[in-house]
Amino acid sequence: MTVSAVIPIKQLSDAKQRLGSLLSCSERTGLFRTMVEDVLTIVEVCPMVDEILVITSDVQVADLAREYSCRVMPEPENAGLINAVTAAAAFLVSEGVESMLFLPGDVPLVSQDELEVVLDGMGQSESSEFSIVPARDMGGSNCIACSPPDCMTFGFGEDSFRRHLLIARAKGIVPNIVHLPGIGLDVDTPSDLEDLAGIMSSEGFKEEKGTYRYLVESGILERLSSNLQELNK
């Protein structure tokens, strides 16, 4: 079975604007870049993934992707996550790729073990297969695996997890729901970042993540930890 990981990344500059109440523009850019690097690092070493396809029209993102031996596909003319992943799925089918793994660039706690859980058994059935990892709030779709890549109609956006389940069932596909804490935490909002800081401040967190180093070296982790301590008084 051949598996291609698809990671759409719009741009580095002005990324994560919803974190504006906690971080400056340069801090948001730096944080997003390190999160993307952590995701690419894990996907690159996962033995079940044959290649990474980054979808972007940002020159900086394209240069970064190539550092991780990724292929780069420009965003389709009609921008948007649904169109990007749909175009990627069609392209992969045309190349004979059997399975597609969609992953966003803002899940820095993703691990190789989690990716292997998602992909375990994928592509072994003659029927279409669909696995999905919901966001921790059960709203978003933080990871999707499809075999063949174009077996699904994608429905990203608000409440996309439930929408994807409905789409799959309407197509006669039994969805495989996988709950994974690392992939489940995508960093979009201040509360997401505070939760990430809480995890990375814990004594049990020993992972060598670029995101962790960035949060420490930039002073963001200490700042957020102090804020959390004040709130808990």
Side-chain angles (χ1 to χ4, degrees), residues 69 124-125 136 168 200 207 215 220 228:
S69 303
Q124 296 182 9
S125 171
R136 57 185 179 152
M200 291 187 163
E207 294 289 335
L215 290 176
I220 295 172
L228 290 173

Side-chain angles (χ1 to χ4, degrees), residues 119-132:
L119 292 171
D120 184 43
M122 181 66 63
Q124 296 182 9
S125 171
E126 294 183 2
S127 302
S128 296
E129 298 171 280
F130 170 69
S131 292
I132 185 168

Side-chain angles (χ1 to χ4, degrees), residues 77-149:
E77 186 173 339
N78 294 322
L81 185 56
I82 292 175
N83 289 335
V85 179
T86 300
F91 171 71
L92 293 176
V93 168
S94 73
E95 292 209 325
V97 175
E98 296 167 284
S99 298
M100 178 180 74
L101 175 77
F102 156 79
L103 198 67
D106 61 355
V107 287
L109 296 181
V110 61
S111 68
Q112 181 179 319
D113 287 345
E114 287 192 338
L115 293 182
E116 291 179 1
V117 168
V118 174
L119 292 171
D120 184 43
M122 181 66 63
Q124 296 182 9
S125 171
E126 294 183 2
S127 302
S128 296
E129 298 171 280
F130 170 69
S131 292
I132 185 168
V133 181
R136 57 185 179 152
D137 64 0
M138 303 298 287
S141 306
N142 283 17
C143 180
I144 282 175
C146 297
S147 183

Side-chain angles (χ1 to χ4, degrees), residues 30-67:
L31 173 63
F32 185 51
R33 182 185 178 95
T34 55
M35 289 195 295
V36 169
E37 290 176 336
D38 278 341
V39 171
L40 292 176
T41 296
I42 292 298
V43 180
E44 184 184 29
V45 300
C46 180
M48 298 179 74
V49 174
D50 297 290
E51 70 160 358
I52 307 172
L53 180 65
V54 170
I55 307 174
T56 189
S57 294
D58 185 299
V59 174
Q60 292 183 65
V61 174
D63 289 342
L64 175 62
R66 293 188 182 100
E67 292 178 17

